Amino acid sequence: MILVDSNVIIDLLTKDPTWQAWSEAALSDAADRDDVAINPIIYAEITCGFATMGDLDRHLGADAFHRLPLPYEAGFVAGRAFVEYRRRGGTRTSPLPDFYIGAHAAVAGLSLLTRDARRYAGYFPKVRLIAPA
């Protein structure tokens, strides 16, 4: 299964002039090869342009993405990644959503489709990333 990062979905929803073509092709390819999924963190990050949950769900498509719960183990792994982030000089005071997304992929053995490969690779090196070259 492939977890799809919010930046890929946002590219499609906003018709991003720089990234829409790449994200559309990468998502289509991913969906042809395997099931694609989102989790509650990803869902939260893509809500900005929608007034209701129904509007967002209609734009996503009812069957386009499996909706996975965020495992508690991912919370622990995200917290440990955050500790490493702070050790490396990061200034945020709470774990970033990307830590939860990367941790979810890591503990569930999911691949991750994203445009933010550098952050994920640095904190979750065992996650198979599908990202721009």
Side-chain angles (χ1 to χ4, degrees), residues 77-124:
V77 173
R80 297 309 307 155
F82 177 70
V83 168
E84 179 62 18
Y85 161 82
R86 292 289 297 201
R87 188 189 67 70
R88 294 180 187 180
T91 59
R92 302 280 178 125
T93 58
S94 63
L96 303 170
D98 289 348
F99 291 144
Y100 291 104
I101 294 166
H104 185 183
V107 302
L110 305 172
S111 296
L112 179 60
L113 174 59
T114 183
R115 282 194 291 102
D116 194 10
R118 191 176 79 203
R119 177 180 312 235
Y120 290 114
Y123 292 100
F124 306 99

Side-chain angles (χ1 to χ4, degrees), residues 8-16 46-47 50 56 59-60:
V8 172
I9 299 168
I10 290 169
D11 290 344
L12 302 177
L13 294 174
T14 64
K15 299 180 180 5
D16 184 275
I46 62 177
T47 63
F50 298 92
L56 174 55
H59 275 83
L60 284 180

